Amino acid sequence: MVKDPRAPQGAHRIVPVNVPTPVLVECDGAGAPLAVGLQADSTPAGSRQLAVGSPPHPRQVAAIQSRWRIDDEWWRDRPVSRLYYALLLEDGAVVTVFQDLEDNTWWQQRY
Amino acid sequence: MLIACVLIKHFSFQVEAEAMPHLAGREVLLISREGKTPAVAGTSPAITDVPAGTPLSEALARHPLALQREADLPAYRRRFDEVLDALEAVSPLVEENPSLRRGSGQALGSGRAELGCAYVGLDGLAELYGGMTKLLQALQEVVSPRLEPRFGIGPGRFPATVAASAAQPGQILEAPPTLIEFLAPYPVEVLPVPWETVARLKRLGLTALGDIARQKLGPMETQFGPGGRSLWEMARGIDNRPIFPRQQELSFEGRVDFPVATVSLETIYLAVENLLVQLYGKPELWGRYARLALLRARVSRRPTWERKVAFKEAAGSAQTALRMIKHAISLYPPSGPVEDLSITLHGVTGEAGRQTSLWTDVRRQDQLRETLRQLEARLGVRPPIYQYRDAEPWSRIPERRRVLIELSL
C-alpha cells in the first residue's frame, strides 16, 4: 500500500566538517597569543560557547609561524572576520587558532 | 447538501503575521513582482480599500505610510495546502474556492487562484463525530486560530460563504433556515460574479440580495440570460453546486536543512543529489518515473525561491533527474543564501518506457542497503552513517569546504 504521498518527509542533515572549537588564549598587549589552553575534550562541534569544565592546561607559544586574516560573507547578519595564527607551541606542537574579530572570541581550527 | 465554508480573510497577511506577530494591527502591503509592474498581492486587515492586483504606486498613493513586504507566494500556497490537508482529516470532501470575492485583499496576482477560502462537505459526518456540535468543533480545531478562520454553515456554498463572511474570527455561524430573510440585507457585492454584473444589478436598482429575491425569475433571465437564474437562486439561498474534492496526486517530497545558509551552487547541487537519491531509493518509487520536480528553497530575507522542472523524458533515476535539475538551477539560481531546500517529485508513472542497463551499480547499492538494514536491526536505531563530500573546496572558510551528508539508499 502506498503511504500518504503528501506526508512531509523528515529533513535530512548536512553536517559541516572541521567546525572551529573554542579555545582559551592568553594575549600580549598587542593582542598576539602568548599561551593557548587546549581542551582535552572540546565542546560539541558548531557550539559558539566557550567550553565549561576543568580549566585547560596553558601551553606557551614559542613562535608565531604565520598570521593571516579572512573577511567574508560581509552581506550576512553575521559576517566572517577572522585573524588566524599558526602557532608553534613550547612542546613542539603546531596549532592553528583564530580570533573572531566580530566578538573577540578565540577558536581552534585546522586550516 | 450541508456545506461548511472556512474563510480566512487576508490569508497572505495572516501567514506573514503567524511568523511575525508584531505586524498585527499595522498597515501592511504585500508586494508581488511577478508581473510587469509591482502590484499588491495582499494587505493587512487595516487596509480595506486596496484590492489585490492594485499597482503598488496606486496603493502607496492611498497608504503612503504602509509597511511594504515582498509577498512570498509559494509560502502562502504551501500554508494553504496545509490548511486543506488539515480539513481533509475531518471530511473527505474539501474543495478550495478558486474565485473568492475580488477586493478582499487576498488575491495572489494574475493567473493564480486566490487563497483563503475552502468548502467542506458535511453530509453524513455528524453521526461519525457523535453529533453536529462535535463535528463543527473538530473543524474548528484543525485550523490554527492564529489564522483567524471564520466558519459558515449553510445548505450550499453561497449561503455558507455569506455566513462565514459575517462570522467573527474563530466563530461558527450557521445560516438560519429562513435563508431569504438571512441573505436579504447583504449587498450584491457578495455575489460571486464579475464586477460588470454587479454594476448592472446596481443600475437596475438591485443593490441588495433581497432586491433580487423579490423579483420573479422570468425578468431576471430576460435581463441576465442563463446567469439570471443563478443570481436569483443565490439570492434566495439556493446553491446546488457540488463540492469537487481535490485530486490526490502521488508525489514524493524530501527536504534538507543547510547548517549555514549557502550561496554555493556546488553545495546546492550536492543537496539536490542527496535528496534525489533518497527519493528514488524509496520502495514506492522503485521502477517508477517522475515527470516533474518542484524545487523550493527558503532564502534568507527574501521570498521563497521556487522552480518547476518538467522532465522532457520522465526520469527514472536520481542521476537522470539530477542532470536536468542542475541545468535548470544553473539557468535560474536562488537569489540569495539558501537556508533549506525541498524537492517534490510529481507526475509519478509506472511506465518504464525503456530498458535499463544490467551493468549498473545496482548490486552495490543493494548490498549497502542490506548492510544498513542489518545495522539498524542490531542497533535498534537508524545507523548514523554519512558520506564525506566536497562542498566548497575553494572556500577560505574551512568549515565550508567539506560536509557530511546522511547516507540514504
Side-chain angles (χ1 to χ4, degrees):
Chain A
M1 184 178 171
V2 176
K3 288 180 193 167
D4 178 3
R6 283 178 289 102
Q9 306 294 325
H12 289 264
R13 288 202 305 157
I14 292 183
V15 183
V17 176
N18 192 18
V19 285
T21 53
V23 67
L24 294 174
V25 174
E26 191 185 324
C27 304
D28 62 14
L34 289 175
V36 181
L38 296 175
Q39 291 278 0
D41 54 336
S42 56
T43 47
S47 167
R48 302 297 286 178
Q49 299 295 318
L50 283 179
V52 177
S54 57
H57 175 63
R59 291 153 76 177
Q60 296 300 313
V61 174
I64 296 175
Q65 290 188 329
S66 179
R67 196 176 77 149
W68 67 99
R69 177 172 171 154
I70 63 168
D71 289 285
D72 209 334
E73 300 187 351
W74 45 265
W75 63 89
R76 290 194 173 161
D77 289 337
R78 198 182 188 291
V80 173
S81 182
R82 298 173 178 177
L83 189 56
Y84 276 87
Y85 293 89
L87 304 175
L88 174 66
L89 303 181
E90 59 184 352
D91 56 6
V94 176
V95 294
T96 306
V97 298
F98 70 81
Q99 184 182 16
D100 189 326
L101 300 176
E102 286 292 310
D103 55 12
N104 283 324
T105 50
W106 285 87
W107 303 81
Q108 184 186 2
Q109 185 178 44
R110 278 180 291 108
Y111 198 84
Chain B
M1 185 171 48
L2 194 60
I3 287 177
C5 171
V6 181
L7 180 65
I8 302 169
K9 291 183 178 177
H10 301 273
F11 181 80
S12 44
F13 172 78
Q14 299 294 3
V15 175
E16 296 282 352
E18 258 192 323
M20 288 167 287
H22 64 274
L23 293 178
R26 298 187 62 175
E27 286 195 341
V28 181
L29 294 170
L30 299 169
I31 315 300
S32 165
R33 299 184 194 278
E34 284 198 338
K36 285 179 184 168
T37 54
V40 174
T43 66
S44 59
I47 296 177
T48 53
D49 58 346
V50 178
T54 305
L56 176 59
S57 52
E58 198 179 318
L60 284 176
R62 286 184 214 170
H63 298 273
L65 299 178
L67 181 72
Q68 297 172 51
R69 279 191 62 79
E70 293 286 322
D72 191 346
L73 304 183
Y76 308 150
R77 177 71 256 175
R78 199 163 55 242
R79 186 70 184 92
F80 195 55
D81 282 341
E82 286 172 12
V83 172
L84 295 175
D85 288 347
L87 292 171
E88 269 181 359
V90 178
S91 166
L93 275 181
V94 174
E95 185 186 357
E96 169 187 355
N97 180 13
S99 57
L100 203 65
R101 288 294 306 134
R102 66 201 170 282
S104 56
Q106 48 192 317
L108 294 180
S110 56
R112 283 184 184 256
E114 296 172 356
L115 304 177
C117 182
Y119 296 106
V120 184
L122 301 180
D123 280 339
L125 289 175
E127 286 179 17
L128 279 174
Y129 282 83
M132 183 54 80
T133 312
K134 286 186 177 168
L135 169 60
L136 298 181
Q137 198 180 342
L139 206 61
Q140 250 178 329
E141 282 170 359
V142 295
V143 187
S144 167
R146 288 162 68 184
L147 292 173
E148 300 189 355
R150 298 152 202 259
F151 302 87
I153 314 296
R157 289 178 191 226
F158 182 64
T161 310
V162 174
S165 63
Q168 293 299 312
Q171 189 198 1
I172 296 176
L173 184 64
E174 192 168 353
T178 51
L179 278 174
I180 297 177
E181 286 80 15
F182 168 68
L183 295 172
Y186 287 96
V188 288
E189 277 86 354
V190 300
L191 287 163
V193 291
W195 67 268
E196 295 91 341
T197 310
V198 172
R200 212 164 142 213
L201 284 166
K202 285 183 167 178
R203 276 203 302 275
L204 293 168
L206 306 173
T207 55
L209 297 185
D211 298 334
I212 300 176
R214 275 190 292 276
Q215 305 300 316
K216 288 185 177 167
L217 177 58
M220 287 297 292
E221 283 187 319
T222 308
Q223 280 294 330
F224 295 93
R229 170 181 280 273
S230 164
L231 288 171
W232 184 80
E233 285 184 343
M234 277 195 275
R236 301 175 75 87
I238 304 165
D239 186 354
N240 294 322
R241 289 174 294 166
I243 289 183
F244 298 100
R246 293 194 297 164
Q247 286 192 346
Q248 298 292 342
E249 190 206 359
L250 190 62
S251 62
F252 296 87
E253 185 185 355
R255 187 168 67 85
V256 67
D257 287 324
F258 294 101
V260 179
T262 182
V263 288
S264 156
L265 280 184
E266 293 305 317
T267 308
I268 293 170
Y269 292 156
L270 264 181
V272 170
E273 181 184 351
N274 182 246
L275 285 173
L276 288 172
V277 169
Q278 284 166 22
L279 292 174
Y280 277 98
K282 286 177 183 296
E284 299 97 316
L285 249 181
W286 287 354
R288 306 179 90 164
Y289 286 64
R291 295 199 176 277
L292 182 87
L294 178 64
L295 284 78
R296 276 198 189 120
R298 205 150 41 96
V299 181
S300 298
R301 287 179 290 176
R302 299 296 302 270
T304 306
W305 173 86
E306 196 177 77
R307 184 81 178 146
K308 264 183 194 170
V309 185
F311 303 137
K312 202 179 282 181
E313 250 181 59
S317 72
Q319 286 311 315
T320 317
L322 176 66
R323 206 167 48 244
M324 290 182 270
I325 290 174
K326 272 172 90 167
H327 177 65
I329 294 177
S330 68
L331 293 176
Y332 179 62
S335 53
V338 173
E339 294 174 356
D340 71 11
L341 177 78
S342 73
I343 297 180
T344 313
L345 294 176
H346 293 277
V348 176
T349 165
E351 294 161 16
R354 66 163 66 178
Q355 189 170 356
T356 51
S357 168
L358 274 175
W359 314 110
T360 62
D361 59 353
V362 169
R363 182 172 290 184
R364 185 178 151 269
Q365 297 262 327
D366 280 347
Q367 286 170 346
L368 266 171
R369 195 177 290 124
E370 188 53 37
T371 309
L372 281 179
R373 280 203 198 107
Q374 285 176 7
L375 270 171
E376 189 171 351
R378 194 181 299 172
L379 299 171
V381 291
R382 195 173 174 196
I385 295 180
Y386 292 86
Q387 269 178 307
Y388 184 72
R389 302 289 296 265
D390 280 338
E392 302 170 40
W394 58 83
S395 175
R396 300 168 69 214
I397 306 168
E399 66 266 30
R400 302 275 194 279
R401 293 175 190 154
R402 286 167 197 90
V403 292
L404 295 174
I405 296 183
E406 226 172 45
L407 182 67
S408 52
L409 294 164

